[in-house]
Amino acid sequence: MLSVVLSGLRDRWASFLGGFVALALGVGLLVTMGLGLSATFHAPERSPQRFASSPVVVQGRDRLTVDVRRGPDTVPVEQRLDRPQPVDDDVLRALRARWTVTASGGPDAVGVDAPAADVRALVGDRARVLTGNERARADPDPERDARALVTLNALLGTSGGVTAFVSVFVVASTFAFAVALRRREFGLLRTAGATPGQIRRLLLAEAAVLGVLASAAGCALGALGAPLLARTLVDGGLAPAWFTIGDAAWPFHAAFWTGVTVALAGAVAASRRAGKVGPAAALREADVDADALPLGRAVLGTALLLAGLGLLAWTCATDPSALLKRKTYTTLPMLLTSGVALLSPLLVRPAARLLRARGAVGTLVRENSAAAVRRTAAVAAPVLVTVALAGTLFGSAASVTRAKEVEAREQTAAQYVARGEGLAAVAAPEGAVVSPTGATSVFVRDGDEAVVKYGARAVADPAAFAELARLPVVAGDLRDLDDRSIVVNEEFERRRVGETVDVWRADGSGPVRLRIVAVLTLGTGDNGPYVTRANAPGAVLDRIDARGGGAATVRALEASGGTVGHLVTGASPNRLGMVLVLGIALVYTVIGLANTLLMATSVRGGELASLRLAGATRGQILRVVTGEAALAVAIGTVLGLMVTGVVLGTLGAGLATLSAPVALVVPWPVAGTAAGVCATVAIAASAIPAWRLTR
Amino acid sequence: MTPNAAVRLRRLTRHHRDVHALDGVDLDFHAGTFTAVMGPSGSGKSTLLQCAAGLDRPTAGTVEVGGVALEGLSERRLTLLRRDRIGFVFQSFNLLPSLTAAQNVALPLRLAGRRVSRPAVREALARVGLAGRERHRPGELSGGQQQRVAIARALITRPAVLFGDEPTGALDSTTSREVLDMLRDLVDRESQTIVMVTHDPVAASRADRVVFLTDGRVAGELTGPTVETVTARMTGLETDRVGASAGGAAC
């Protein structure tokens, strides 16, 4: 048997090469993403800078501890404060009385030259005591490394997920199609006395050989690719300059075994089919695919489609703000996309029949596409996946950004807005209304069991704020905001005007009891609560809205130290990241397409020869073959756009539920580019073998 | 009924959707005889052969080969039985293009997991007149030579019956005669049982007995056929049929 396997590999190297390249590249990408991902798990240890010469650092409180109910008991839960508070005066005095205390920078931490145990005993739980490398926590912005990695982690996680999804899909369908093309060969083996089991084992052995070789090659590829990825990320500004790839082993294991498993799984499904074909049936020259949609695929496709639609509807109904999150809009459409892709053989025939072309070429294109459902679907499905990915990823991200922009613009009546960190207060020029605000946070109990941190806005001048803000108020009046009240949104547990909420302030002080004066809709997520500066200790101004006063106002705003201009929200979608994700999918689709079409067209020698004998010119044959490829790509594109439509429609419904502006963006350029690249490759990959066959 | 029937068909029926390819056929093929099955296109002769050889499953009725009933055997058991007891030769040779002549001949034994002795394969090829061609691939052989490789492959397991589905259909008349001589020889000298479907009266006249089929039913038979008697009978069948279907397409 083994020699049959080997002679098979030797003779059909062309069709195996496609599977090999697809699998090796997929494994390589997985290794690269995995290595990158593992490098984002740990920020490098930094040696302390600010208190490098003091063995012990005493830092003020940096978290809020509140007791909540957990079952029958009461347990303390912690929430991080925005920044550490100044060290308690009593503690400071006690420390100074006994040891040398070094101050440096702000009042939030001091260095102490003393044994750590003694300092701990003295301080107790009134402050934090840091030793060794932990002292770096007192450095300015100690979280910046970790923060830089969080974004990177999300990006690499998303790309890794998309890579896994697309590569598994393409490899499995390439394998299945390669097996379908070899129907006749299996028929020959069956008439020569091979049992169905032997055919299955033959296929599995081939898949195992191919899977191991390609996965090993992929691991080597990934080891080379990972440093390249790290450099690209650093150059592109997506990763901090110190970002490097570590020496983790798990990405290699994960990717290698995934590759082998995918190869075997693709072969298992295909081999079951191959084994079932009776010897006589296999030999019948059946070019019209009767059972292009086997039961297993139909069931799985339907299940995925229903799950995809169901989850979308359910999320839209129960938690519409989740639809705006990247995690949701990258993963949810995948279910829908794979469902439609699996069911595509059902849709191909009616779609092909819609072609109303006249003449011999048009008729042939239509009838061939409808008859060879497997081939048409094998081309259309990867195109569908790419177009749907492009449409849903870019479309959702762009729509969310657009909605946020529109919302932000709608929420102020200001003519000028100054933005920047730590703006200086400005006096309102003659005839102008000026409303400075800053970021702060409030902590509120949610039920008995949790404490929630809300990103809030601190209002410096309630009257000016009320005049300029155009917030979506559900109830109450913004003008009532004062030092003993709060404006909340509908996410709050208590959200009725006149009720009171207990609030801890940004420095951990409180709770203070504030009266609710107005309630806002949830929107895209930025309609946070509003308090006055009295309830926002430590808040610095980062935005000044102004209206009226002309040039004097602009001069005043400029004097605050911020940039004055029209309103643009900060968080623009991470384009480079998305291009990376889509690029992977596109490369993959292109390989799958080229592979399928090269394989499929190469075996059409007899058919094309009969066409030639029937009087078709070489040009006409090329037009038929490339026309079929183009039609299949068109079908895939239309299906992909339909998936995009459903996903964006749901997003729109979600935005409407949140009372946010419904501003949907269909990414025509990106989807068009994806479809165009697919069409070009498909036409080339079918024209080249057809050209050779008709020579 | 005769105890030495190599293949026994009883009430054999095969429907393809609503087409009755076989409609209750009772036939015995005796051991050591050469039978030709003839009939107009669409008379069900190929279906008969495939059902008798276990390549296709009948809708109803029974098939016995060498005393073993094929009914109810799993696909695996059926394949094993076919591999051991039945040889099959097709019009289109059906050799594996990637394997050499010797590898093709040895394939059934290798699939059965048996040891393949080089001399046995060489002898099998020599018996069909292809000594020295062991290392040629099908693409490097003529049609007649390929069909002889296929016959050698079918005989390597010493089957109880050799079935041929138009084995000379793709060959020119000279090559065709050589292949038929060889088949006749196998029956006469080695008592091989052969059942062959053909539409060629010349090929049929080399058999011991000719069975005629129309519309899935046995329409008569000839023992000791000649080209003339076979041709006469065939012409009669075809005119009957055209007359019956009032000029409907016979093909």
Side-chain angles (χ1 to χ4, degrees):
Chain A
M1 270 313 270
L2 190 67
S3 59
V4 178
V5 174
L6 287 179
S7 76
L9 279 178
R10 212 166 41 224
D11 283 339
R12 280 182 309 276
W13 64 269
S15 71
F16 284 109
L17 185 69
F20 181 89
V21 170
L23 190 54
L25 213 66
V27 170
L29 281 168
L30 283 181
V31 169
T32 308
M33 295 297 163
L35 283 173
L37 203 59
S38 80
T40 65
F41 288 156
H42 304 287
E45 292 263 303
R46 298 212 167 212
S47 51
Q49 308 275 315
R50 188 169 152 203
F51 295 106
S53 54
S54 306
V56 177
V57 171
V58 174
Q59 192 182 31
R61 213 147 69 102
D62 74 337
R63 55 200 67 207
L64 169 72
T65 310
V66 176
D67 287 340
V68 298
R69 178 109 47 85
R70 190 68 40 91
D73 305 323
T74 306
V75 295
V77 293
E78 288 190 334
Q79 285 281 3
R80 281 191 74 89
L81 300 177
D82 291 342
R83 59 186 75 81
Q85 297 308 303
V87 184
D88 189 69
D89 281 341
D90 294 340
V91 174
L92 212 51
R93 260 197 301 280
L95 288 171
R96 284 222 173 89
R98 290 181 64 183
W99 300 294
T100 318
V101 172
T102 324
S104 165
D108 61 306
V110 289
V112 182
D113 200 355
D118 295 350
V119 177
R120 281 218 173 82
L122 176 85
V123 169
D125 60 355
R126 292 180 290 173
R128 269 164 75 91
V129 177
L130 308 170
T131 55
N133 271 340
E134 265 203 317
R135 290 171 296 158
R137 296 201 60 84
D139 287 346
D141 200 3
E143 304 281 300
R144 69 180 184 284
D145 290 348
R147 214 171 35 237
L149 290 183
V150 167
T151 341
L152 197 56
N153 183 288
L155 169 66
L156 291 176
T158 311
S159 336
V162 171
T163 309
F165 168 67
V166 179
S167 61
V168 166
F169 192 85
V170 167
V171 170
S173 75
T174 305
F175 268 63
F177 190 67
V179 171
L181 281 184
R182 289 166 63 190
R183 207 170 110 105
R184 190 177 160 75
E185 182 198 333
F186 298 137
L188 292 178
L189 276 172
R190 294 276 280 119
T191 54
T195 61
Q198 281 178 316
I199 300 280
R200 279 202 298 274
R201 285 195 292 280
L202 170 82
L203 272 168
L204 288 180
E206 276 180 11
V209 171
L210 190 68
V212 168
L213 291 179
S215 299
C219 284
L221 214 64
L224 294 176
L228 220 63
L229 173 78
R231 210 171 312 141
T232 314
L233 289 173
V234 171
D235 291 347
L238 288 173
W242 46 261
F243 183 73
T244 48
I245 298 298
D247 52 359
W250 67 261
F252 289 99
H253 284 288
F256 182 86
W257 294 112
T258 305
V260 174
T261 312
V262 168
L264 284 177
V268 165
S271 70
R272 293 184 141 272
R273 264 169 78 74
K276 266 191 213 141
V277 179
L283 288 175
R284 228 169 276 138
E285 281 294 339
D287 283 336
V288 176
D289 302 323
D291 57 339
L293 188 66
L295 186 67
R297 182 171 173 163
V299 168
L300 186 65
T302 314
L304 282 173
L305 183 70
L306 291 180
L309 285 174
L311 272 176
L312 271 179
W314 188 71
T315 313
C316 184
T318 59
D319 185 12
S321 11
L323 288 174
L324 311 186
K325 296 198 179 103
R326 176 172 160 140
K327 203 161 55 185
T328 316
Y329 68 66
T330 33
T331 50
L332 266 192
M334 281 188 194
L335 287 176
L336 194 62
T337 308
S338 10
V340 178
L342 283 176
L343 294 179
S344 58
L346 271 188
L347 309 166
V348 158
R349 199 167 283 171
R353 300 264 190 231
L354 287 180
L355 184 73
R356 285 266 165 268
R358 297 231 199 106
V361 170
T363 310
L364 277 168
V365 167
R366 178 176 64 237
E367 295 308 320
N368 283 347
S369 302
V373 171
R374 274 196 150 254
R375 181 174 66 217
T376 313
V379 174
V383 177
L384 183 166
V385 170
T386 309
V387 171
L389 264 178
T392 56
L393 262 183
F394 278 74
S396 304
S399 299
V400 169
T401 313
R402 174 79 60 85
K404 286 193 171 181
E405 270 174 26
V406 173
E407 185 181 55
R409 209 171 299 136
E410 280 176 357
Q411 289 187 354
T412 180
Q415 287 171 308
Y416 319 102
V417 174
R419 288 171 159 278
E421 276 301 310
L423 302 181
V426 294
E430 181 75 29
V433 184
V434 174
S435 165
T437 52
T440 185
S441 49
V442 294
F443 302 85
V444 179
R445 270 186 198 279
D446 190 27
D448 287 336
E449 300 190 348
V451 172
V452 184
K453 177 178 182 175
Y454 289 98
R457 300 290 301 170
V459 176
D461 181 346
F465 166 71
E467 195 172 338
L468 290 184
R470 293 288 177 271
L471 299 176
V473 178
V474 178
D477 195 333
L478 294 179
R479 281 171 296 191
D480 296 341
L481 182 65
D482 59 20
D483 290 353
R484 295 175 57 195
S485 57
I486 184 169
V487 175
V488 301
N489 63 36
E490 288 182 306
E491 207 179 356
F492 271 63
E493 195 193 12
R494 296 174 152 240
R495 45 170 188 271
R496 232 168 317 153
V497 175
E499 281 184 324
T500 54
V501 279
D502 288 339
V503 168
W504 284 265
R505 303 189 187 103
D507 64 350
S509 63
V512 291
R513 182 157 291 188
L514 300 178
R515 197 169 54 84
I516 297 173
V517 291
V519 182
L520 308 177
T521 61
L522 207 47
T524 58
D526 286 342
N527 293 345
Y530 289 82
V531 291
T532 60
R533 284 187 90 173
N535 289 316
V540 288
L541 299 180
D542 58 11
R543 171 172 165 167
I544 304 177
D545 293 33
R547 185 180 179 82
T553 310
V554 177
R555 272 196 305 279
L557 289 185
E558 273 166 354
S560 74
T563 43
V564 183
H566 293 291
L567 210 71
V568 183
T569 46
S572 68
N574 196 334
R575 270 197 91 78
L576 180 58
M578 285 202 293
V579 168
L580 184 74
V581 172
L582 189 68
I584 291 166
L586 196 59
V587 164
Y588 235 89
T589 309
V590 161
I591 291 171
L593 275 185
N595 203 8
T596 304
L597 279 168
L598 285 174
M599 280 194 295
T601 314
S602 306
V603 297
R604 293 177 71 182
E607 181 198 336
L608 298 185
S610 344
L611 254 180
R612 283 280 270 174
L613 292 176
T617 66
R618 200 172 175 191
Q620 282 173 322
I621 286 184
L622 283 178
R623 284 209 297 284
V624 169
V625 172
T626 53
E628 286 172 34
L631 179 62
V633 170
I635 292 173
T637 307
V638 169
L639 291 177
L641 288 176
M642 278 161 60
V643 171
T644 308
V646 170
V647 170
L648 289 185
T650 315
L651 180 64
L655 284 171
T657 319
L658 292 168
S659 317
V662 180
L664 296 180
V665 184
V666 181
W668 295 113
V670 185
T673 310
V677 171
C678 288
T680 312
V681 171
I683 287 171
S686 56
I688 292 167
W691 179 261
R692 280 181 34 205
L693 283 173
T694 50
R695 195 160 47 193
Chain B
M1 309 300 161
T2 22
N4 62 342
V7 180
R8 177 177 296 179
L9 312 177
R10 287 291 172 275
R11 315 283 321 144
L12 194 64
T13 306
R14 179 76 172 94
H15 297 174
H16 295 294
R17 297 217 172 84
D18 48 352
V19 182
H20 294 211
L22 291 177
D23 198 2
V25 173
D26 289 305
L27 269 179
D28 284 335
F29 301 114
H30 302 302
T33 64
F34 187 174
T35 312
V37 179
M38 292 194 82
S41 293
S43 59
K45 51 190 195 302
S46 283
T47 310
L48 174 85
L49 208 65
Q50 293 189 341
C51 285
L55 286 170
D56 198 356
R57 289 179 186 268
T59 313
T62 56
V63 178
E64 261 178 44
V65 177
V68 181
L70 305 190
E71 199 187 355
L73 290 183
S74 73
E75 194 56 42
R76 200 181 103 82
R77 303 291 314 168
L78 195 59
T79 305
L80 296 183
L81 178 90
R82 223 166 42 223
R83 200 152 72 189
D84 291 342
R85 317 285 288 268
I86 299 170
F88 208 106
V89 182
F90 300 86
Q91 179 177 5
S92 51
F93 323 138
N94 287 341
L95 299 174
L96 279 125
S98 59
L99 302 182
T100 62
Q103 284 173 326
N104 261 299
V105 170
L107 188 61
L109 293 178
R110 298 235 315 259
L111 285 168
R114 284 193 240 158
R115 261 180 57 84
V116 180
S117 78
R118 227 171 251 276
V121 172
R122 202 173 312 140
E123 198 230 294
L125 279 168
R127 227 168 40 171
V128 296
L130 286 176
R133 299 295 176 106
E134 288 86 357
R135 299 179 69 87
H136 288 62
R137 284 179 205 272
E140 300 158 348
L141 296 170
S142 73
Q145 289 170 328
Q146 288 188 48
Q147 191 59 295
R148 285 195 240 170
V149 174
I151 291 170
R153 183 176 76 177
L155 292 176
I156 191 88
T157 56
R158 308 247 159 223
V161 204
L162 174 66
F163 289 101
D165 190 356
E166 306 256 13
T168 58
L171 306 176
D172 62 65
S173 53
T174 319
T175 329
S176 171
R177 196 179 325 117
E178 284 168 19
V179 168
L180 286 167
D181 285 346
M182 216 185 70
L183 293 177
R184 187 70 247 178
D185 243 34
L186 284 167
V187 178
D188 293 343
R189 277 203 256 146
E190 300 179 25
S191 292
Q192 177 70 53
T193 314
I194 297 181
V195 180
M196 169 181 79
V197 159
T198 184
H199 66 271
D200 177 11
V202 179
S205 68
R206 306 295 301 272
D208 300 318
R209 169 185 173 220
V210 182
V211 175
F212 294 94
L213 229 57
T214 37
D215 298 327
R217 294 203 184 93
V218 177
E221 58 175 88
L222 273 175
T223 326
T226 63
V227 179
E228 289 74 26
T229 51
V230 173
T231 314
R233 186 67 80 87
M234 277 301 286
T235 318
L237 285 178
E238 270 164 14
T239 42
D240 283 358
R241 199 156 176 252
V242 172
S245 59
C251 294

